Amino acid sequence: MRVQPSKGFTLVELIIVIVITGIVAVVGAVIIQGGVGGYVDQERRASLVADADRAMRRMSREIRLALPNSIRVNQCAGNPCVEFLATVAGGRYREGPGPAPVGGDPNRRLRFNQPDNQFNSTGPIGLADGSYPYYLSVYNTGQSGNDAWAGQSMTQARGVTLADDVAVPGETRVTLANAHQFPLSSPRQRFYLVEDAVAFVCETGRINRYRYDRDQAFNANAGNTLVNRVESCEFQYDAGSSTRAGLLTLTLVIQEEGERVRLQHQIQVSNTP
């Protein structure tokens, strides 16, 4: 009986298999790497857009509540910034005589010919009765002599107390911590309660939000970061007029590992005091 010799791979065949396997592995790795890289890039871009959009929306919500004519675009310590006075509530003050039997009581009117510290609000204010550490502003035009930032069209001291006027149902007695003479009356008898000054500052790769008293520097208190990875930002403001809304334009560029996202957002601001 004749035994057939066993057959195996020759060295040439083995080398060919190794080469082909290597080529397939390289091609597969390139394909997989491209897909994974594209997914990672897409996720990075989505993260950048989400962060920028979140910051824009936060700034937009707050800026829309700014005291009329209080927005100003500045350089804060050499960095682009937008500052404004943030309102928390408002109402309409009593200017004329009240209903019987208390009609004409001067304590229920807001007087402009002398410092005054008490008046009635003729409608809802949006706050419960109590004492609040707020300023009060009437008809701020932002012009010299009638500027809230200078404490002219806004009280210079904090402190507002609200209480129902039992003699006049539906009205609220507003008492100020210190008497103040407002330069101008409001054609629509509007007043605003102001909490603090706020600044959004573009600095060192991020946008920070600062909250401070109106006569302090913007960085008197620590800032809170709204968004990181900021490459550049720009604030442009058209104040408009008493009959046309102001327009604040925010432009933000954020980047990470070569990916850049540029967003622009416009905010209409009512400057009718």
Side-chain angles (χ1 to χ4, degrees):
M1 183 175 179
R2 185 178 179 182
V3 178
Q4 295 291 334
S6 60
K7 294 184 179 181
F9 293 106
T10 65
L11 180 60
V12 173
E13 291 173 327
L14 186 60
I15 292 173
I16 291 174
V17 170
I18 293 174
V19 170
I20 293 174
T21 303
I23 293 172
V24 172
V26 169
V27 172
V30 170
I31 294 174
I32 294 173
Q33 184 180 21
V36 172
Y39 174 78
V40 171
D41 291 343
Q42 184 177 4
E43 284 295 300
R44 186 184 298 115
R45 285 192 293 270
S47 174
L48 291 172
V49 170
D51 287 351
D53 184 64
R54 191 180 304 113
M56 291 284 202
R57 290 179 183 275
R58 169 68 182 275
M59 289 188 283
S60 177
R61 283 196 304 270
E62 293 200 41
I63 290 168
R64 284 195 175 97
L65 296 177
L67 179 71
N69 302 302
S70 72
I71 293 176
R72 56 190 191 185
V73 170
N74 281 330
Q75 288 286 312
C76 296
N79 298 305
C81 71
V82 56
E83 295 179 286
F84 58 95
L85 297 169
T87 65
V88 293
R92 295 182 185 273
Y93 61 83
R94 175 165 294 289
E95 185 179 46
V102 293
D105 185 342
N107 289 328
R108 288 180 169 83
R109 305 181 186 183
L110 179 57
R111 292 168 288 187
F112 291 87
N113 60 346
Q114 65 184 64
D116 200 357
N117 72 331
Q118 280 192 335
F119 64 90
N120 272 23
S121 171
T122 60
I125 296 177
L127 294 173
D129 288 355
S131 296
Y132 298 91
Y134 300 149
Y135 298 100
L136 189 140
S137 177
V138 174
Y139 204 65
N140 176 54
T141 63
Q143 298 170 340
S144 177
N146 195 46
D147 187 3
W149 286 99
Q152 295 158 347
S153 57
M154 188 167 78
T155 53
Q156 297 183 2
R158 291 178 180 272
V160 176
T161 300
L162 308 177
D164 286 340
D165 188 338
V166 295
V168 188
E171 294 197 0
T172 301
R173 174 63 61 88
V174 180
T175 304
L176 307 179
N178 294 97
H180 186 82
Q181 184 171 359
F182 296 97
L184 298 174
S185 62
S186 167
R188 298 184 180 182
Q189 295 81 53
R190 289 177 176 169
F191 69 89
Y192 297 89
L193 298 180
V194 177
E195 183 176 24
D196 276 310
V198 173
F200 295 115
V201 186
C202 184
E203 54 184 347
T204 21
R206 60 188 184 273
I207 293 182
N208 287 334
R209 178 190 183 273
Y210 291 91
R211 174 180 164 181
Y212 51 100
D213 210 343
R214 65 120 191 270
D215 56 357
Q216 293 178 327
F218 80 93
N219 55 0
N221 301 313
N224 297 318
T225 299
L226 295 186
V227 60
N228 289 302
R229 302 175 291 182
V230 175
E231 183 176 81
S232 66
C233 61
E234 183 180 3
F235 305 101
Q236 295 180 330
Y237 183 52
D238 178 2
S241 66
S242 60
T243 58
R244 179 172 60 86
L247 185 67
L248 179 67
T249 302
L250 313 176
T251 304
L252 175 62
V253 178
I254 61 176
Q255 64 82 29
E256 184 179 41
E257 297 184 12
E259 292 283 352
R260 284 177 175 80
V261 172
R262 181 179 185 273
L263 271 72
Q264 188 175 80
H265 190 68
Q266 293 185 319
I267 306 168
Q268 286 195 340
V269 182
S270 174
N271 277 329
T272 304

